[in-house]
Amino acid sequence: MCGIFGVISRSCSKISSELIKDTIIELATQSISRGKDSSGMVFKDILDSELIQIKGDISIYELLKNEKFKTILNQQLEKYEIGNVLQVMGHARLVTNGSQLKHYNNQPVTKDKITIIHNGIIVNDNALWEKHHDIRREFDIDTEILPSLIRKYINNGESKQTALSLSMQNLDGTVSAAFMLHDENLIGLCTNNGSLYYVLTSDIFIFASEEYFLKQLRYVKEFQCNVKKLLPNNALFLDTINFHSELFYLFDKSSVDFKTEKNNIFTITEILLDGNFKKETVIDPMEFINRSKEQHFLDIIQDNSNHISYLRRCSRCILPETFPFIHFDKEGICNYCNNYTAKRRIKSLEELKKLVEPYRSKDGSPDCIVPFSGGRDSTYTLHIVKKELGMNPIAFTYDWGMVTDLARRNIARVCGKLGVENIMVSADIKWKRENIRKNIEAWLKHPHLGMIPLFMAGDKYFFYYCNQLKKQTGIRLNIWGINDLENTNFKSGFAGLHPQFNKKRIYSLSIINQVKLFGFVAKNLLQSPGYINSSIFDSLGSFAVRYIFPKKDYYHLFDYYPWNESELEKLIKEEYNWEKAIDTDSTWRIGDGTASFYNYIYYTVAGFTENDTFRSNQIREGMISRQQALLKVNKENEVRYETLRWYLEIIGLDFRSTISKINSIPKLYNTTP
């Protein structure tokens, strides 16, 4: 999720200060892809017994340009040249728990004479604070619990290894962390999902969240250093004076005390970068639980369910008469049902095992990438790939600004439980959200249902970055959890594209339809010039990566393993303690902040949502009855107010004026009594 990194160069090493400086800057620059919300670095100066932190709600790129940071770095390098140990740890943060506008929530976090940087999410921190009454919470950030527990166990007489082991055994979620003890010449690394890599020579210790970051370093290339992975549930301690290291398993309670010379207690100088930078508040939908305060907003939500209930629907599925290009035969069955071919799988999981065999690693190293949105299908896929196929996957997440904190917490739960590394590539979230806002503002001036997918264009780079990750890691295979039942013909149908029955993939589009779609979008851009904004290249790029860029060395799990909703829901709830949204009983689309908004538009204007298409496809596959489907969509199509409010808040649109404008759009059905 976030990016963490560090460089410790031994006193009187043969490595030049220039190369050390380049290594620090290279690592920091590489880590930008992991998070741009905030950043920070900490230097431990043994010569003057001082810890120097510099952090703020800025990207690490801005931190590197900051004059205060440059001064601190140069001072530490000068001391290194006269024999001081150079020690620095850094963090590029994607905000999860704790606003980045409060400086103490930004990392590094200092608590109880321990300074720590953490990649991941601890999902049970609140429960741990309640359980351990003898430690006190001071910040909002989930990371704080780990140093507090470590110090507690040390103070109770446990060795450092045992203290770390006991602390990590308490935690649920994903934890890959590095920490400095203020009163020891020691740095520690620990992980429960294997998302830490390091280089250790007689002169230098370098670590980072991704193997690729380390392999790109000039130092590593020139000296052909061996990059090692810290395996799940393992830890490493390094004595920063004599460079003695100890690697140990976190669940082994028979650790031997690690002896090191004690130093003076370090003083902390903290420099905060929170002055001349634009700030953004990320709001969790969980905050909107007091409905009484929001009643004035709830009152403007339009409920046309009574009128919608009179719509004519297919007698076999539940698609309504307002569905694009729909028509009914004399039995009342729609053309989508008449042209549907059931997915009769003749393939099996055993066949998939044979297909992935050439990609399987022989040494336990990662051998496939599973695109992991944090949704239920990708969770199901990651579980099957790890547990049933016996592969060693990396879970890849692309955060384009609409991944909710709920999704991030579920990602942490699953990856932590499976011991799977999660690489999260973060877009420039502020820019992405500005693009969404500009496109919605343009759409509201000339609303057309066919242009709604433009709001979600930014997430299609998932495909591009997945391919980039394959190149960076050298992993050739990726296994997708794309579900054919999610096929939504109406999104392109409203753009004037006739349905493509029995297309190979739900994201496939014929060349002719690609040209038609491009022409439709171009026409609307001319009609509403507001679409011609900073997002246009982002939108064009998304079209290219989805429809034009080649895709190879991949399989779709559900071509070989039957999708079963009850099995899936049992798995995510019982095995992974999955967290549900507070505004719906459904487990589908709850980690995507956009879905509540576009489904409100479709339901208000057209009388149906993607829930109707999903349940209709289940009917056609014989998974549920028509009556069951109707009961489900009546519940699922209810407005998800908390998430809707969150969505409009984070992209900067006024709730009242936006919803009022949507409500005024002419309906595709009769609303007269």
Side-chain angles (χ1 to χ4, degrees), residues 6 135 201 246 250 282 291 309 346 364-365 390 426 441 486 503 568 587 625:
I135 56 176
T201 71
E246 179 190 15
L250 285 166
V282 179
R291 286 184 173 270
S309 67
I346 56 172
S365 59
S426 171
E441 287 174 338
E486 296 180 6
K503 56 187 178 181
L568 181 155
T587 55
S625 69

Side-chain angles (χ1 to χ4, degrees), residues 10-48:
R10 192 173 183 177
S11 173
C12 302
S13 81
K14 300 175 183 178
I15 306 171
S16 70
S17 60
E18 179 187 358
L19 187 53
I20 294 291
K21 182 176 183 178
D22 287 348
T23 301
I24 294 169
I25 293 173
E26 284 179 59
L27 269 180
T29 304
Q30 292 274 15
S31 298
I32 289 174
S33 66
R34 282 298 196 105
K36 302 176 179 68
D37 290 328
S38 65
S39 61
M41 290 199 201
V42 58
F43 294 85
K44 186 173 184 180
D45 183 350
I46 293 179
L47 196 64
D48 291 331

